[in-house]
Amino acid sequence: MERCQEYRPGGAGFRGSVESEVFVSTRKVQKMRQIMTAWTGMCSKQGDYDEYYFFQHKFKKTVFSYETALYLQGLTDKIPQLIEASVPYSYKINNLPNNVKLYYVKSDISDMGAIEVKTIYQNKVRAYNIERIICDFVQNKNNIDPEVYVKTIRGYASSKNSDINKLFIYAKKMGIIEKVRTTMEVIYE
């Protein structure tokens, strides 16, 4: 067995010694749980860390958007590098984690298209539906990965579940109806 040393947080480094690799890995797990608990104020019963659920539990008015919303609904196989969420302008967030990109939107459209979806851990979170994602993509086309943009628009156009009327209602409320109409005309041609 390899000799390992125990790390004592807050101390001057390593102290004592223990002959167990299990001890070290258990300590690492405990430390990770402490870090997760400190950030979220809770841990799941199984010890799993559902970052989407915990993030939305802490920041209640957020709605997952853009690529994060696509991922949560199983509409892309690309795992998001950042959590993308939208909030009303009036909602201020302090101490935002580094892996989050926040979009501020008008209060009257902040909940438009919000649906309840399940994370991979079966926790319920709020995310925008595909029609709202399409509107956000068209509105911010220059800031979207071109490959994801094209796949999403084409996938929507060929889907049996697409609701073009709902898409145009959202586009009208967001003031981008002409952009959405032009984009969809090109795709349907």
Side-chain angles (χ1 to χ4, degrees), residues 1-7 14-25:
M1 221 180 265
E2 186 179 318
R3 288 182 62 83
C4 299
Q5 295 192 351
E6 174 186 1
Y7 178 72
F14 289 92
R15 295 184 184 172
S17 65
V18 178
E19 294 184 4
S20 171
E21 290 181 46
V22 175
F23 178 80
V24 172
S25 65

Side-chain angles (χ1 to χ4, degrees), residues 65-72 76 78 80 84 137 144-145 148:
S65 52
Y66 294 86
E67 288 185 42
T68 303
L70 286 175
Y71 173 73
L72 287 169
T76 183
K78 182 180 176 186
E84 293 177 293
F137 273 24
I144 307 298
D145 177 344
V148 173

Side-chain angles (χ1 to χ4, degrees), residues 13-14 25 27 73 76 107 110 155 162 168:
F14 289 92
S25 65
R27 289 295 260 175
Q73 294 176 61
T76 183
S107 295
S110 63
S162 61
F168 285 122

